[in-house]
Amino acid sequence: MSETMKEGLRDEVVAAIKTVYDPEIPVDVYELGLIYEINVFPVNNVYILMTLTSPSCPAAEVLPDEVKQKVKEIEGVNEVELELTFDPPFTMEMMSEEAKLELGFM
């Protein structure tokens, strides 16, 4: 897989993840800073490392599955592995400028 194709697929993965919103916050999980890492490997396998706003997040059962499902729906994606971590713990500094503006922190 060429770097250009890999980057194109990564961009599609980011776009898909940006359609997933935390049900309590009107900002997508990518802009919230919940996605720590996205890797696209040969044969279009995708690895995502993400966190939640807290370990007791009410959406803990739903958000990771929704992210994984949205990425699986991308044409050409083979396997999707999603790992949930709380290290480092989520902080408000992880949010994008867009998310901070949307939530009134700027």
Side-chain angles (χ1 to χ4, degrees), residues 11-20 66-67 70-72 74:
D11 291 345
E12 286 186 59
V13 169
V14 169
I17 291 171
K18 283 185 168 197
T19 67
V20 179
E66 189 176 346
V67 167
K70 294 283 186 176
V71 173
K72 274 186 168 182
I74 298 169

Side-chain angles (χ1 to χ4, degrees), residues 18-91:
K18 283 185 168 197
T19 67
V20 179
Y21 285 78
D22 185 307
E24 299 178 328
I25 306 169
V27 177
D28 69 77
V29 296
Y30 188 85
E31 296 298 337
L32 270 177
L34 300 182
I35 305 298
Y36 287 170
E37 186 179 325
I38 298 170
N39 289 318
V40 177
F41 297 104
V43 298
N44 296 346
N45 289 340
V46 178
Y47 169 80
I48 301 165
L49 180 64
M50 75 174 287
T51 193
L52 299 170
T53 52
S54 79
S56 60
C57 173
E61 298 293 314
V62 187
L63 282 179
D65 287 342
E66 189 176 346
V67 167
K68 190 172 181 177
Q69 189 56 45
K70 294 283 186 176
V71 173
K72 274 186 168 182
E73 291 171 4
I74 298 169
E75 188 175 333
V77 167
N78 190 21
E79 292 292 320
V80 179
E81 180 185 348
L82 187 140
E83 184 179 345
L84 198 55
T85 186
F86 294 99
D87 184 31
F90 173 79
T91 65

